[in-house]
Amino acid sequence: MNTKRGAAARGVVRGLPRWDRCGVMGVVNVTPDSFSDGGRWFDTTAAVKRGLDLVAAGADLVDVGGESTRPGASRVDEEEELRRVVPVVRGLASEGIAVSVDTMRATVAARAVEAGALLVNDVSGGLADPGMIGAVAAAEVPFVVMHWRGFSEGMNSLAVYEDVVAEVTAELRMRIEAVIAGGIAPERLVVDPGLGFAKNAEHDLALVAHLPELRALGFPLLVAASRKRFLGRVLAGDGSAPPPARERDAATAAVSAIAAHEGAWAVRVHEVRASADAVRVARAVEGAL
């Protein structure tokens, strides 16, 4: 087997289950305004059921978020985010599900961990809330360091690069160093290139094409391409309108297969089944080499 792309090279995250293939992180958006499925799982009972359904479809982790980070989205206040997220995390954790919390707030992260979350997935990489790194370090849980340049309301204007792969890699490296200096153990870190965050379609495609450079940072890699704008642009072709987000799941699975082949630790997706199949086929192919 080619160990540069195989399961042995994906990395192990301390405090999380270990898989012999690329993992699948299913998304539960407890929001009314997500770009993908806003409002469908806003009720706690519906959100917990959704998480259970994702696991039944093949998810290894369920990522619960209470604040939309789509381009242009406004922030919700802390109390509302807590009200949305904590009961869902507690409900899923009580069912034995491995749960991550998608938040940029230290208080939400800490409360979610108390409720049973095993991983903090902060799209700002700890930049949005100065208390985040200390809170995660104190909780001794894994942390996703994503490439981020600013909040949703203005991030499109920040999508300016001369060499997107080199700049994203360099900015991630600086953020990793800061997170480790803040007390989070290196063996608890995951990196995410932040597809769609302060990036246009060409930038996203370039990053997917250069996943080995991102993996060369030396940490497990999370790829979150699910239903994003760049896939809509690819599917639309020239002169056509992009298909709605919910019609991009086959394209998402294609990226999941690519990510798995290139040694990603996990992919983050809204609909699990096709991507779960994709990563398992990629693992089977690796095993046949």
Side-chain angles (χ1 to χ4, degrees), residues 65-79:
E67 180 176 32
S68 175
T69 52
R70 62 178 171 78
S74 298
R75 302 207 69 189
V76 300
D77 64 53
E78 183 176 289
E79 287 305 313

Side-chain angles (χ1 to χ4, degrees), residues 133-154:
I133 302 307
V136 175
E140 297 185 325
V141 294
F143 185 65
V144 177
V145 181
M146 198 191 84
H147 178 263
W148 187 81
R149 284 186 166 183
F151 291 104
S152 297
E153 289 179 313

Side-chain angles (χ1 to χ4, degrees), residues 64 81-91 107-108 111-112 115:
V64 178
E81 189 181 356
L82 285 165
R83 186 192 69 78
R84 295 176 181 182
V85 167
V86 173
V88 179
V89 171
R90 183 178 294 114
T107 300
V108 177
R111 291 276 297 277

Side-chain angles (χ1 to χ4, degrees), residues 16 43 97 101 143 180 183 223:
L16 291 178
D43 173 77
I97 305 302
V101 60
F143 185 65
I180 292 172
V223 177

Side-chain angles (χ1 to χ4, degrees), residues 103-104 122-129 143-144 146-148 151 175:
T103 184
M104 292 185 282
D122 178 357
V123 299
S124 79
L127 287 168
D129 184 340
F143 185 65
V144 177
M146 198 191 84
H147 178 263
W148 187 81
F151 291 104
R175 196 69 211 129

Side-chain angles (χ1 to χ4, degrees), residues 4-17:
K4 291 183 179 180
R5 291 177 175 173
R10 299 187 195 286
V12 177
V13 182
R14 184 176 176 185
L16 291 178

Side-chain angles (χ1 to χ4, degrees), residues 7-52:
R10 299 187 195 286
V12 177
V13 182
R14 184 176 176 185
L16 291 178
R18 181 173 183 172
W19 313 298
D20 68 347
R21 53 168 170 75
C22 179
V24 179
M25 177 187 286
V27 179
V28 174
N29 289 315
V30 194
T31 62
D33 58 345
S34 165
F35 83 97
S36 172
D37 50 15
R40 297 186 72 189
W41 326 116
F42 194 42
D43 173 77
T44 297
T45 300
V48 171
K49 182 180 184 303
R50 176 60 174 169
L52 294 172

